[in-house]
Amino acid sequence: MGKRNISLSELYKEKLKEYSPARKLIQDLMDSTGRAEITVRMWVKGKVKPEPLIQRIIADKLGMDVDSLFPTNL
């Protein structure tokens, strides 16, 4: 297998996408809840709500109030 031919600038741009704060949040929530990426993304987009136990796990992880993270008007 050969070495990659990429500039440092291009490599930086690739890594920036991989480790963005938004991506880190998704990964942290996946790790905390044991749920798949697609599931976490559905929560973040507000398309579905996690069950109450998972809501509490997420709120504790983020240090936030459950009701503010998951408003009832979803």
Side-chain angles (χ1 to χ4, degrees), residues 18-56:
E18 290 176 20
Y19 300 107
S20 71
R23 176 67 192 138
K24 183 170 179 355
L25 174 63
I26 296 292
Q27 188 63 54
D28 287 348
L29 294 178
M30 289 168 53
D31 294 345
S32 296
T33 63
R35 298 305 195 268
E37 182 173 352
I38 188 68
T39 301
V40 174
R41 288 189 180 276
M42 295 289 279
W43 298 339
V44 170
K45 290 179 181 179
K47 296 193 179 225
V48 295
K49 278 189 188 181
E51 58 267 25
L53 175 62
I54 300 299
Q55 288 180 24
R56 285 192 298 278

